Amino acid sequence: TCALPIWDLAVPGTASARLVKEALERVERKTEPGSSVLAIPEGMMVNYLLRRRNPTPFLQSFILSTLYNFSGGSRAIIAGLQEKKPDYIFYLRRGPEFPGPAFQMRGNGGFAEESLRWIESHYHEVDRIGPASNDFNELFFVLWKRNTP
């Protein structure tokens, strides 16, 4: 089961904590034990809490544009996704906790826009909470599942 109480301890009662808890519960229900999940931008912590493995070499690569570029940018990220083929991709935005250019996939020069286009063409959405806006104060999550060939 998902080790969710850690989020309540970290930021009890906040909108962010409630979103993270609900998102993790939903992802746990919609993914099978043994399935693989790439969590962006959260990375390792989400995989640990869900007890789902990340098959890619990208642990925290999506948090800052410098880490993203250090990992090789969109070209390397897409190659890694093509090779390792995670069953699911979990995207969580916790609002101002990752402010400014820290993580943005769309618009305003979002550094991961090319990766997002690739994800959306090879995966389909299976769950969402909230809007997919470019407002960094918006809280939302989306879960994509890999398309079957």
Side-chain angles (χ1 to χ4, degrees):
T1 62
C2 188
L4 294 172
I6 189 169
W7 290 104
D8 285 333
L9 293 172
V11 278
T14 65
S16 179
R18 288 188 297 275
L19 170 74
V20 170
K21 183 174 181 179
E22 183 175 350
L24 288 173
E25 288 172 345
R26 288 166 72 158
V27 171
E28 184 180 39
R29 285 193 308 269
K30 292 181 183 271
T31 62
E32 307 78 29
S35 62
S36 58
V37 177
L38 171 62
I40 52 178
E42 303 289 333
M44 294 179 291
M45 180 58 76
V46 168
N47 289 104
Y48 172 76
L49 293 172
L50 287 171
R51 306 299 194 260
R52 303 290 190 268
R53 68 183 176 82
N54 170 8
T56 75
F58 314 119
L59 302 178
Q60 299 286 79
S61 300
F62 289 85
I63 291 179
L64 300 170
S65 60
T66 51
L67 286 176
Y68 187 81
N69 292 330
F70 181 75
S71 297
S74 289
R75 187 171 292 128
I77 299 291
I78 291 168
L81 293 173
Q82 288 173 322
E83 180 185 346
K84 299 299 183 179
K85 297 179 175 66
D87 299 316
Y88 294 90
I89 298 177
F90 170 75
Y91 174 35
L92 175 71
R93 179 177 300 153
R94 294 192 283 146
E97 293 178 46
F98 289 119
F103 184 72
Q104 185 169 358
M105 293 181 85
R106 280 194 207 283
N108 299 325
F111 62 82
E113 217 166 330
E114 186 178 345
S115 297
L116 176 64
R117 283 193 302 272
W118 187 90
I119 290 167
E120 290 178 330
S121 69
H122 291 83
Y123 287 73
H124 62 279
E125 187 175 307
V126 293
D127 202 0
R128 170 186 294 274
I129 297 174
S133 75
N134 288 328
D135 182 348
F136 284 108
N137 294 311
E138 293 281 352
L139 305 173
F140 74 89
F141 104 95
V142 62
L143 178 66
W144 291 286
K145 184 174 184 176
R146 186 167 30 94
N147 296 333
T148 53

PDB file of all heavy atoms in Angstrom, residues 73-106:
ATOM      1  N   GLY A  73      18.560  16.838 -22.262  1.00  0.00           N
ATOM      2  CA  GLY A  73      17.444  17.555 -22.866  1.00  0.00           C
ATOM      3  C   GLY A  73      16.419  16.624 -23.476  1.00  0.00           C
ATOM      4  O   GLY A  73      16.419  15.409 -23.245  1.00  0.00           O
ATOM      5  N   SER A  74      15.539  17.200 -24.275  1.00  0.00           N
ATOM      6  CA  SER A  74      14.419  16.444 -24.848  1.00  0.00           C
ATOM      7  C   SER A  74      14.867  15.229 -25.644  1.00  0.00           C
ATOM      8  O   SER A  74      14.266  14.161 -25.545  1.00  0.00           O
ATOM      9  CB  SER A  74      13.564  17.347 -25.734  1.00  0.00           C
ATOM     10  OG  SER A  74      12.853  18.262 -24.949  1.00  0.00           O
ATOM     11  N   ARG A  75      15.913  15.375 -26.419  1.00  0.00           N
ATOM     12  CA  ARG A  75      16.360  14.263 -27.264  1.00  0.00           C
ATOM     13  C   ARG A  75      16.711  13.041 -26.412  1.00  0.00           C
ATOM     14  O   ARG A  75      16.289  11.921 -26.695  1.00  0.00           O
ATOM     15  CB  ARG A  75      17.549  14.691 -28.117  1.00  0.00           C
ATOM     16  CG  ARG A  75      17.945  13.642 -29.138  1.00  0.00           C
ATOM     17  CD  ARG A  75      18.982  14.134 -30.127  1.00  0.00           C
ATOM     18  NE  ARG A  75      18.386  15.159 -30.989  1.00  0.00           N
ATOM     19  CZ  ARG A  75      18.934  16.355 -31.188  1.00  0.00           C
ATOM     20  NH1 ARG A  75      20.071  16.667 -30.628  1.00  0.00           N
ATOM     21  NH2 ARG A  75      18.346  17.231 -31.984  1.00  0.00           N
ATOM     22  N   ALA A  76      17.469  13.251 -25.338  1.00  0.00           N
ATOM     23  CA  ALA A  76      17.865  12.135 -24.464  1.00  0.00           C
ATOM     24  C   ALA A  76      16.673  11.605 -23.664  1.00  0.00           C
ATOM     25  O   ALA A  76      16.546  10.390 -23.468  1.00  0.00           O
ATOM     26  CB  ALA A  76      18.972  12.582 -23.514  1.00  0.00           C
ATOM     27  N   ILE A  77      15.813  12.501 -23.211  1.00  0.00           N
ATOM     28  CA  ILE A  77      14.638  12.069 -22.449  1.00  0.00           C
ATOM     29  C   ILE A  77      13.754  11.187 -23.325  1.00  0.00           C
ATOM     30  O   ILE A  77      13.332  10.099 -22.923  1.00  0.00           O
ATOM     31  CB  ILE A  77      13.840  13.287 -21.926  1.00  0.00           C
ATOM     32  CG1 ILE A  77      14.692  14.148 -20.985  1.00  0.00           C
ATOM     33  CG2 ILE A  77      12.539  12.850 -21.283  1.00  0.00           C
ATOM     34  CD1 ILE A  77      15.041  13.552 -19.659  1.00  0.00           C
ATOM     35  N   ILE A  78      13.485  11.636 -24.545  1.00  0.00           N
ATOM     36  CA  ILE A  78      12.632  10.862 -25.460  1.00  0.00           C
ATOM     37  C   ILE A  78      13.286   9.530 -25.807  1.00  0.00           C
ATOM     38  O   ILE A  78      12.622   8.487 -25.812  1.00  0.00           O
ATOM     39  CB  ILE A  78      12.306  11.694 -26.715  1.00  0.00           C
ATOM     40  CG1 ILE A  78      11.371  12.852 -26.324  1.00  0.00           C
ATOM     41  CG2 ILE A  78      11.678  10.825 -27.799  1.00  0.00           C
ATOM     42  CD1 ILE A  78      11.204  13.914 -27.406  1.00  0.00           C
ATOM     43  N   ALA A  79      14.580   9.515 -26.038  1.00  0.00           N
ATOM     44  CA  ALA A  79      15.280   8.252 -26.329  1.00  0.00           C
ATOM     45  C   ALA A  79      15.152   7.297 -25.142  1.00  0.00           C
ATOM     46  O   ALA A  79      14.928   6.096 -25.326  1.00  0.00           O
ATOM     47  CB  ALA A  79      16.746   8.515 -26.656  1.00  0.00           C
ATOM     48  N   GLY A  80      15.295   7.828 -23.928  1.00  0.00           N
ATOM     49  CA  GLY A  80      15.146   6.996 -22.731  1.00  0.00           C
ATOM     50  C   GLY A  80      13.745   6.437 -22.588  1.00  0.00           C
ATOM     51  O   GLY A  80      13.555   5.276 -22.206  1.00  0.00           O
ATOM     52  N   LEU A  81      12.743   7.246 -22.909  1.00  0.00           N
ATOM     53  CA  LEU A  81      11.349   6.782 -22.839  1.00  0.00           C
ATOM     54  C   LEU A  81      11.078   5.726 -23.905  1.00  0.00           C
ATOM     55  O   LEU A  81      10.377   4.743 -23.649  1.00  0.00           O
ATOM     56  CB  LEU A  81      10.386   7.957 -23.006  1.00  0.00           C
ATOM     57  CG  LEU A  81      10.376   8.979 -21.874  1.00  0.00           C
ATOM     58  CD1 LEU A  81       9.513  10.180 -22.250  1.00  0.00           C
ATOM     59  CD2 LEU A  81       9.891   8.360 -20.581  1.00  0.00           C
ATOM     60  N   GLN A  82      11.642   5.910 -25.087  1.00  0.00           N
ATOM     61  CA  GLN A  82      11.459   4.925 -26.158  1.00  0.00           C
ATOM     62  C   GLN A  82      12.118   3.595 -25.808  1.00  0.00           C
ATOM     63  O   GLN A  82      11.580   2.533 -26.093  1.00  0.00           O
ATOM     64  CB  GLN A  82      12.045   5.453 -27.470  1.00  0.00           C
ATOM     65  CG  GLN A  82      11.239   6.565 -28.082  1.00  0.00           C
ATOM     66  CD  GLN A  82      11.921   7.189 -29.280  1.00  0.00           C
ATOM     67  OE1 GLN A  82      13.136   7.356 -29.310  1.00  0.00           O
ATOM     68  NE2 GLN A  82      11.133   7.562 -30.274  1.00  0.00           N
ATOM     69  N   GLU A  83      13.274   3.667 -25.173  1.00  0.00           N
ATOM     70  CA  GLU A  83      14.011   2.443 -24.837  1.00  0.00           C
ATOM     71  C   GLU A  83      13.396   1.722 -23.638  1.00  0.00           C
ATOM     72  O   GLU A  83      13.198   0.510 -23.670  1.00  0.00           O
ATOM     73  CB  GLU A  83      15.467   2.777 -24.529  1.00  0.00           C
ATOM     74  CG  GLU A  83      16.282   1.554 -24.177  1.00  0.00           C
ATOM     75  CD  GLU A  83      17.695   1.898 -23.749  1.00  0.00           C
ATOM     76  OE1 GLU A  83      18.148   3.037 -23.969  1.00  0.00           O
ATOM     77  OE2 GLU A  83      18.343   1.007 -23.164  1.00  0.00           O
ATOM     78  N   LYS A  84      13.109   2.449 -22.581  1.00  0.00           N
ATOM     79  CA  LYS A  84      12.677   1.820 -21.323  1.00  0.00           C
ATOM     80  C   LYS A  84      11.165   1.653 -21.202  1.00  0.00           C
ATOM     81  O   LYS A  84      10.699   0.874 -20.395  1.00  0.00           O
ATOM     82  CB  LYS A  84      13.204   2.620 -20.121  1.00  0.00           C
ATOM     83  CG  LYS A  84      14.715   2.694 -20.075  1.00  0.00           C
ATOM     84  CD  LYS A  84      15.331   1.313 -19.961  1.00  0.00           C
ATOM     85  CE  LYS A  84      16.840   1.411 -19.839  1.00  0.00           C
ATOM     86  NZ  LYS A  84      17.459   0.110 -19.703  1.00  0.00           N
ATOM     87  N   LYS A  85      10.393   2.416 -21.944  1.00  0.00           N
ATOM     88  CA  LYS A  85       8.941   2.276 -22.046  1.00  0.00           C
ATOM     89  C   LYS A  85       8.216   2.134 -20.696  1.00  0.00           C
ATOM     90  O   LYS A  85       7.638   1.086 -20.409  1.00  0.00           O
ATOM     91  CB  LYS A  85       8.580   1.093 -22.928  1.00  0.00           C
ATOM     92  CG  LYS A  85       9.030   1.224 -24.363  1.00  0.00           C
ATOM     93  CD  LYS A  85       8.655  -0.011 -25.147  1.00  0.00           C
ATOM     94  CE  LYS A  85       8.978   0.106 -26.604  1.00  0.00           C
ATOM     95  NZ  LYS A  85      10.357   0.196 -26.957  1.00  0.00           N
ATOM     96  N   PRO A  86       8.223   3.168 -19.852  1.00  0.00           N
ATOM     97  CA  PRO A  86       7.442   3.055 -18.620  1.00  0.00           C
ATOM     98  C   PRO A  86       5.972   2.806 -18.945  1.00  0.00           C
ATOM     99  O   PRO A  86       5.447   3.335 -19.930  1.00  0.00           O
ATOM    100  CB  PRO A  86       7.641   4.402 -17.929  1.00  0.00           C
ATOM    101  CG  PRO A  86       8.244   5.312 -18.926  1.00  0.00           C
ATOM    102  CD  PRO A  86       8.834   4.482 -20.013  1.00  0.00           C
ATOM    103  N   ASP A  87       5.313   1.970 -18.137  1.00  0.00           N
ATOM    104  CA  ASP A  87       3.900   1.674 -18.359  1.00  0.00           C
ATOM    105  C   ASP A  87       3.040   2.916 -18.170  1.00  0.00           C
ATOM    106  O   ASP A  87       2.054   3.110 -18.876  1.00  0.00           O
ATOM    107  CB  ASP A  87       3.425   0.587 -17.386  1.00  0.00           C
ATOM    108  CG  ASP A  87       4.176  -0.714 -17.576  1.00  0.00           C
ATOM    109  OD1 ASP A  87       4.369  -1.132 -18.738  1.00  0.00           O
ATOM    110  OD2 ASP A  87       4.593  -1.308 -16.563  1.00  0.00           O
ATOM    111  N   TYR A  88       3.426   3.746 -17.187  1.00  0.00           N
ATOM    112  CA  TYR A  88       2.664   4.954 -16.864  1.00  0.00           C
ATOM    113  C   TYR A  88       3.619   6.129 -16.674  1.00  0.00           C
ATOM    114  O   TYR A  88       4.776   5.948 -16.283  1.00  0.00           O
ATOM    115  CB  TYR A  88       1.890   4.776 -15.550  1.00  0.00           C
ATOM    116  CG  TYR A  88       0.812   3.733 -15.621  1.00  0.00           C
ATOM    117  CD1 TYR A  88       1.084   2.406 -15.302  1.00  0.00           C
ATOM    118  CD2 TYR A  88      -0.488   4.071 -15.994  1.00  0.00           C
ATOM    119  CE1 TYR A  88       0.091   1.438 -15.364  1.00  0.00           C
ATOM    120  CE2 TYR A  88      -1.478   3.115 -16.052  1.00  0.00           C
ATOM    121  CZ  TYR A  88      -1.193   1.801 -15.739  1.00  0.00           C
ATOM    122  OH  TYR A  88      -2.171   0.853 -15.802  1.00  0.00           O
ATOM    123  N   ILE A  89       3.090   7.314 -16.924  1.00  0.00           N
ATOM    124  CA  ILE A  89       3.806   8.548 -16.593  1.00  0.00           C
ATOM    125  C   ILE A  89       2.867   9.389 -15.737  1.00  0.00           C
ATOM    126  O   ILE A  89       1.714   9.614 -16.109  1.00  0.00           O
ATOM    127  CB  ILE A  89       4.246   9.314 -17.857  1.00  0.00           C
ATOM    128  CG1 ILE A  89       5.214   8.451 -18.665  1.00  0.00           C
ATOM    129  CG2 ILE A  89       4.889  10.648 -17.464  1.00  0.00           C
ATOM    130  CD1 ILE A  89       5.673   9.066 -19.976  1.00  0.00           C
ATOM    131  N   PHE A  90       3.377   9.792 -14.602  1.00  0.00           N
ATOM    132  CA  PHE A  90       2.612  10.534 -13.595  1.00  0.00           C
ATOM    133  C   PHE A  90       3.202  11.933 -13.498  1.00  0.00           C
ATOM    134  O   PHE A  90       4.381  12.089 -13.210  1.00  0.00           O
ATOM    135  CB  PHE A  90       2.742   9.784 -12.270  1.00  0.00           C
ATOM    136  CG  PHE A  90       2.223  10.497 -11.064  1.00  0.00           C
ATOM    137  CD1 PHE A  90       0.867  10.594 -10.827  1.00  0.00           C
ATOM    138  CD2 PHE A  90       3.087  11.038 -10.132  1.00  0.00           C
ATOM    139  CE1 PHE A  90       0.385  11.226  -9.690  1.00  0.00           C
ATOM    140  CE2 PHE A  90       2.624  11.672  -8.991  1.00  0.00           C
ATOM    141  CZ  PHE A  90       1.266  11.768  -8.778  1.00  0.00           C
ATOM    142  N   TYR A  91       2.393  12.947 -13.797  1.00  0.00           N
ATOM    143  CA  TYR A  91       2.846  14.334 -13.762  1.00  0.00           C
ATOM    144  C   TYR A  91       2.065  15.065 -12.687  1.00  0.00           C
ATOM    145  O   TYR A  91       0.842  15.060 -12.690  1.00  0.00           O
ATOM    146  CB  TYR A  91       2.632  14.965 -15.131  1.00  0.00           C
ATOM    147  CG  TYR A  91       2.927  16.445 -15.228  1.00  0.00           C
ATOM    148  CD1 TYR A  91       3.953  17.037 -14.507  1.00  0.00           C
ATOM    149  CD2 TYR A  91       2.198  17.253 -16.075  1.00  0.00           C
ATOM    150  CE1 TYR A  91       4.232  18.387 -14.621  1.00  0.00           C
ATOM    151  CE2 TYR A  91       2.462  18.608 -16.204  1.00  0.00           C
ATOM    152  CZ  TYR A  91       3.475  19.171 -15.474  1.00  0.00           C
ATOM    153  OH  TYR A  91       3.738  20.500 -15.585  1.00  0.00           O
ATOM    154  N   LEU A  92       2.789  15.666 -11.766  1.00  0.00           N
ATOM    155  CA  LEU A  92       2.172  16.336 -10.621  1.00  0.00           C
ATOM    156  C   LEU A  92       2.730  17.742 -10.509  1.00  0.00           C
ATOM    157  O   LEU A  92       3.943  17.928 -10.470  1.00  0.00           O
ATOM    158  CB  LEU A  92       2.495  15.565  -9.343  1.00  0.00           C
ATOM    159  CG  LEU A  92       2.032  16.174  -8.028  1.00  0.00           C
ATOM    160  CD1 LEU A  92       0.520  16.090  -7.902  1.00  0.00           C
ATOM    161  CD2 LEU A  92       2.694  15.448  -6.876  1.00  0.00           C
ATOM    162  N   ARG A  93       1.843  18.735 -10.488  1.00  0.00           N
ATOM    163  CA  ARG A  93       2.293  20.106 -10.232  1.00  0.00           C
ATOM    164  C   ARG A  93       1.718  20.541  -8.893  1.00  0.00           C
ATOM    165  O   ARG A  93       0.519  20.573  -8.700  1.00  0.00           O
ATOM    166  CB  ARG A  93       1.849  21.086 -11.294  1.00  0.00           C
ATOM    167  CG  ARG A  93       2.382  22.475 -10.875  1.00  0.00           C
ATOM    168  CD  ARG A  93       2.134  23.598 -11.790  1.00  0.00           C
ATOM    169  NE  ARG A  93       2.708  23.404 -13.088  1.00  0.00           N
ATOM    170  CZ  ARG A  93       2.190  23.990 -14.161  1.00  0.00           C
ATOM    171  NH1 ARG A  93       1.134  24.730 -14.067  1.00  0.00           N
ATOM    172  NH2 ARG A  93       2.747  23.818 -15.325  1.00  0.00           N
ATOM    173  N   ARG A  94       2.630  20.856  -7.985  1.00  0.00           N
ATOM    174  CA  ARG A  94       2.233  21.268  -6.635  1.00  0.00           C
ATOM    175  C   ARG A  94       2.246  22.779  -6.487  1.00  0.00           C
ATOM    176  O   ARG A  94       2.498  23.298  -5.421  1.00  0.00           O
ATOM    177  CB  ARG A  94       3.158  20.633  -5.605  1.00  0.00           C
ATOM    178  CG  ARG A  94       3.004  19.134  -5.565  1.00  0.00           C
ATOM    179  CD  ARG A  94       3.680  18.537  -4.372  1.00  0.00           C
ATOM    180  NE  ARG A  94       5.115  18.466  -4.559  1.00  0.00           N
ATOM    181  CZ  ARG A  94       5.996  18.624  -3.588  1.00  0.00           C
ATOM    182  NH1 ARG A  94       5.591  18.856  -2.363  1.00  0.00           N
ATOM    183  NH2 ARG A  94       7.276  18.533  -3.823  1.00  0.00           N
ATOM    184  N   GLY A  95       1.975  23.488  -7.548  1.00  0.00           N
ATOM    185  CA  GLY A  95       1.859  24.936  -7.474  1.00  0.00           C
ATOM    186  C   GLY A  95       3.176  25.624  -7.211  1.00  0.00           C
ATOM    187  O   GLY A  95       4.208  25.259  -7.756  1.00  0.00           O
ATOM    188  N   PRO A  96       3.148  26.627  -6.345  1.00  0.00           N
ATOM    189  CA  PRO A  96       4.335  27.472  -6.155  1.00  0.00           C
ATOM    190  C   PRO A  96       5.513  26.767  -5.486  1.00  0.00           C
ATOM    191  O   PRO A  96       6.570  27.353  -5.336  1.00  0.00           O
ATOM    192  CB  PRO A  96       3.815  28.622  -5.291  1.00  0.00           C
ATOM    193  CG  PRO A  96       2.600  28.097  -4.640  1.00  0.00           C
ATOM    194  CD  PRO A  96       2.013  27.070  -5.574  1.00  0.00           C
ATOM    195  N   GLU A  97       5.363  25.489  -5.107  1.00  0.00           N
ATOM    196  CA  GLU A  97       6.508  24.771  -4.548  1.00  0.00           C
ATOM    197  C   GLU A  97       7.601  24.578  -5.594  1.00  0.00           C
ATOM    198  O   GLU A  97       8.755  24.388  -5.277  1.00  0.00           O
ATOM    199  CB  GLU A  97       6.071  23.429  -3.976  1.00  0.00           C
ATOM    200  CG  GLU A  97       5.183  23.603  -2.763  1.00  0.00           C
ATOM    201  CD  GLU A  97       4.708  22.283  -2.233  1.00  0.00           C
ATOM    202  OE1 GLU A  97       5.533  21.357  -2.104  1.00  0.00           O
ATOM    203  OE2 GLU A  97       3.520  22.170  -1.933  1.00  0.00           O
ATOM    204  N   PHE A  98       7.224  24.564  -6.879  1.00  0.00           N
ATOM    205  CA  PHE A  98       8.179  24.546  -7.980  1.00  0.00           C
ATOM    206  C   PHE A  98       7.916  25.791  -8.810  1.00  0.00           C
ATOM    207  O   PHE A  98       7.297  25.722  -9.852  1.00  0.00           O
ATOM    208  CB  PHE A  98       8.013  23.290  -8.847  1.00  0.00           C
ATOM    209  CG  PHE A  98       8.459  22.037  -8.176  1.00  0.00           C
ATOM    210  CD1 PHE A  98       7.570  21.004  -7.951  1.00  0.00           C
ATOM    211  CD2 PHE A  98       9.768  21.886  -7.768  1.00  0.00           C
ATOM    212  CE1 PHE A  98       7.984  19.841  -7.340  1.00  0.00           C
ATOM    213  CE2 PHE A  98      10.191  20.719  -7.155  1.00  0.00           C
ATOM    214  CZ  PHE A  98       9.291  19.699  -6.938  1.00  0.00           C
ATOM    215  N   PRO A  99       8.359  26.958  -8.368  1.00  0.00           N
ATOM    216  CA  PRO A  99       7.986  28.220  -9.010  1.00  0.00           C
ATOM    217  C   PRO A  99       8.783  28.522 -10.275  1.00  0.00           C
ATOM    218  O   PRO A  99       9.783  27.885 -10.564  1.00  0.00           O
ATOM    219  CB  PRO A  99       8.317  29.245  -7.919  1.00  0.00           C
ATOM    220  CG  PRO A  99       9.477  28.637  -7.214  1.00  0.00           C
ATOM    221  CD  PRO A  99       9.212  27.140  -7.210  1.00  0.00           C
ATOM    222  N   GLY A 100       8.304  29.539 -10.969  1.00  0.00           N
ATOM    223  CA  GLY A 100       9.017  30.081 -12.121  1.00  0.00           C
ATOM    224  C   GLY A 100       9.419  29.023 -13.120  1.00  0.00           C
ATOM    225  O   GLY A 100       8.632  28.154 -13.446  1.00  0.00           O
ATOM    226  N   PRO A 101      10.636  29.094 -13.629  1.00  0.00           N
ATOM    227  CA  PRO A 101      11.036  28.160 -14.672  1.00  0.00           C
ATOM    228  C   PRO A 101      11.437  26.792 -14.127  1.00  0.00           C
ATOM    229  O   PRO A 101      11.965  25.979 -14.856  1.00  0.00           O
ATOM    230  CB  PRO A 101      12.241  28.857 -15.302  1.00  0.00           C
ATOM    231  CG  PRO A 101      12.825  29.635 -14.175  1.00  0.00           C
ATOM    232  CD  PRO A 101      11.636  30.095 -13.357  1.00  0.00           C
ATOM    233  N   ALA A 102      11.186  26.532 -12.854  1.00  0.00           N
ATOM    234  CA  ALA A 102      11.632  25.274 -12.270  1.00  0.00           C
ATOM    235  C   ALA A 102      11.086  24.067 -13.006  1.00  0.00           C
ATOM    236  O   ALA A 102      11.801  23.129 -13.264  1.00  0.00           O
ATOM    237  CB  ALA A 102      11.230  25.204 -10.799  1.00  0.00           C
ATOM    238  N   PHE A 103       9.814  24.064 -13.361  1.00  0.00           N
ATOM    239  CA  PHE A 103       9.317  22.956 -14.174  1.00  0.00           C
ATOM    240  C   PHE A 103       8.105  23.426 -14.932  1.00  0.00           C
ATOM    241  O   PHE A 103       7.094  23.785 -14.337  1.00  0.00           O
ATOM    242  CB  PHE A 103       8.953  21.730 -13.356  1.00  0.00           C
ATOM    243  CG  PHE A 103       8.554  20.597 -14.255  1.00  0.00           C
ATOM    244  CD1 PHE A 103       9.501  19.944 -15.003  1.00  0.00           C
ATOM    245  CD2 PHE A 103       7.232  20.237 -14.408  1.00  0.00           C
ATOM    246  CE1 PHE A 103       9.146  18.933 -15.881  1.00  0.00           C
ATOM    247  CE2 PHE A 103       6.870  19.225 -15.283  1.00  0.00           C
ATOM    248  CZ  PHE A 103       7.825  18.568 -16.007  1.00  0.00           C
ATOM    249  N   GLN A 104       8.221  23.408 -16.231  1.00  0.00           N
ATOM    250  CA  GLN A 104       7.105  23.804 -17.073  1.00  0.00           C
ATOM    251  C   GLN A 104       7.189  23.016 -18.350  1.00  0.00           C
ATOM    252  O   GLN A 104       8.220  22.991 -19.000  1.00  0.00           O
ATOM    253  CB  GLN A 104       7.159  25.294 -17.362  1.00  0.00           C
ATOM    254  CG  GLN A 104       5.957  25.768 -18.133  1.00  0.00           C
ATOM    255  CD  GLN A 104       5.895  27.271 -18.184  1.00  0.00           C
ATOM    256  OE1 GLN A 104       6.717  27.949 -17.615  1.00  0.00           O
ATOM    257  NE2 GLN A 104       4.905  27.783 -18.858  1.00  0.00           N
ATOM    258  N   MET A 105       6.110  22.360 -18.685  1.00  0.00           N
ATOM    259  CA  MET A 105       6.097  21.569 -19.900  1.00  0.00           C
ATOM    260  C   MET A 105       5.464  22.304 -21.064  1.00  0.00           C
ATOM    261  O   MET A 105       5.670  21.934 -22.199  1.00  0.00           O
ATOM    262  CB  MET A 105       5.369  20.251 -19.656  1.00  0.00           C
ATOM    263  CG  MET A 105       6.135  19.354 -18.699  1.00  0.00           C
ATOM    264  SD  MET A 105       5.340  17.787 -18.389  1.00  0.00           S
ATOM    265  CE  MET A 105       5.925  16.812 -19.748  1.00  0.00           C
ATOM    266  N   ARG A 106       4.657  23.340 -20.799  1.00  0.00           N
ATOM    267  CA  ARG A 106       3.941  24.034 -21.874  1.00  0.00           C
ATOM    268  C   ARG A 106       4.132  25.536 -21.795  1.00  0.00           C
ATOM    269  O   ARG A 106       4.146  26.097 -20.719  1.00  0.00           O
ATOM    270  CB  ARG A 106       2.445  23.789 -21.751  1.00  0.00           C
ATOM    271  CG  ARG A 106       1.953  22.515 -22.253  1.00  0.00           C
ATOM    272  CD  ARG A 106       0.435  22.599 -22.376  1.00  0.00           C
ATOM    273  NE  ARG A 106      -0.164  21.311 -22.260  1.00  0.00           N
ATOM    274  CZ  ARG A 106      -0.174  20.414 -23.231  1.00  0.00           C
ATOM    275  NH1 ARG A 106       0.382  20.678 -24.375  1.00  0.00           N
ATOM    276  NH2 ARG A 106      -0.736  19.244 -23.054  1.00  0.00           N
TER     277      ARG A 106
END
